[in-house]
Amino acid sequence: AQKVTQAQTEISVVEKEDVTLDCVYETRDTTYYLFWYKQPPSGELVFLIRRNSFDEQNEISGRYSWNFQKSTSSFNFTITASQVVDSAVYFCALTRRSDKLIFGTGTRLQVFP
Amino acid sequence: EAGVAQSPRYKIIEKRQSVAFWCNPISGHATLYWYQQILGQGPKLLIQFQNNGVVDDSQLPKDRFSAERLKGVDSTLKIQPAKLEDSAVYLCASSLDTSATNEQFFGPGTRLTVL
């Protein structure tokens, strides 16, 4: 069975701090895809990144970076120099090819000025 | 490019009443998904369409929930009769096809409150 665990329910930081959101997944498949989505207060899920199981290269996009480690089944997300606009609920998700997304329970990030 | 449209944005009903939600996916997207997101949880897939055919409805409570996508474009999700535990946000998403490499684009959701 597939499962995604986001153990951090809520994180609070002060602006400009770095913050890491943890994601641990379970799957028996050798081919799978991992995602991060942002859900701001407006409610719409915003796609951030997709990673396939064969690509363990870390990725950086501006202040965002992702660390994918198959050895520990983790796909962690770091925001550098956090800003108030980063406040949202962040979801990690997993899917097999042509299959539904399995979401974690989300981590609520609050960034205070 | 217009995003995924959903209506209504909010709905309040009493238990045992019926309710319907509408979704219009991004033009050209063959795959449409309905997710249920209960407060404090991640979205859970209810049903997935490829054009006007159902790909996966294994988690749809078929005794009370139904969905259709007759012309392979927009879709409606219906609950009849509603229960208290149906209170949730119902998210519609679309993608080009069922390939996992295709990003799913989400609509703003419909927040349902069942009293």
Side-chain angles (χ1 to χ4, degrees), chain A residues 93-110:
Chain A
L94 166 71
T95 187
R96 294 185 293 235
R97 188 170 182 83
S98 302
D99 206 350
K100 59 182 175 284
L101 283 168
I102 305 296
F103 285 87
T105 51
T107 297
R108 180 178 298 279
L109 174 65
Q110 293 196 70

Side-chain angles (χ1 to χ4, degrees), chain B residues 74-96:
Chain B
D74 57 349
S75 174
T76 55
L77 175 70
K78 297 179 182 177
I79 307 176
Q80 180 178 7
K83 292 185 176 181
L84 296 177
E85 59 260 36
D86 299 331
S87 294
V89 176
Y90 291 85
L91 294 163
C92 180
S94 70
S95 64
L96 279 174

Side-chain angles (χ1 to χ4, degrees), chain B residues 34-38 42-44 46 65 85-86 88-91:
Chain B
W34 282 103
Y35 289 86
Q36 180 193 56
Q37 185 178 15
I38 293 172
K44 180 187 79 172
L46 291 175
F65 285 65
E85 59 260 36
D86 299 331
V89 176
Y90 291 85
L91 294 163

Side-chain angles (χ1 to χ4, degrees), chain A residues 12-30:
Chain A
S12 296
V13 298
V14 177
E15 218 171 9
K16 298 183 183 176
E17 282 186 27
D18 298 347
V19 58
T20 295
L21 283 60
D22 298 333
C23 173
V24 174
Y25 62 92
E26 295 176 30
T27 181
R28 295 178 184 172
D29 299 293
T30 55

Side-chain angles (χ1 to χ4, degrees), chain B residues 58-106:
Chain B
S58 58
Q59 297 191 86
L60 186 74
K62 299 179 185 65
D63 58 333
R64 298 183 301 104
F65 285 65
S66 64
E68 60 183 15
R69 194 185 183 199
L70 292 176
K71 297 180 180 178
V73 181
D74 57 349
S75 174
T76 55
L77 175 70
K78 297 179 182 177
I79 307 176
Q80 180 178 7
K83 292 185 176 181
L84 296 177
E85 59 260 36
D86 299 331
S87 294
V89 176
Y90 291 85
L91 294 163
C92 180
S94 70
S95 64
L96 279 174
D97 61 32
T98 56
S99 168
T101 59
N102 283 316
E103 175 189 342
Q104 290 185 29
F105 294 83
F106 285 81

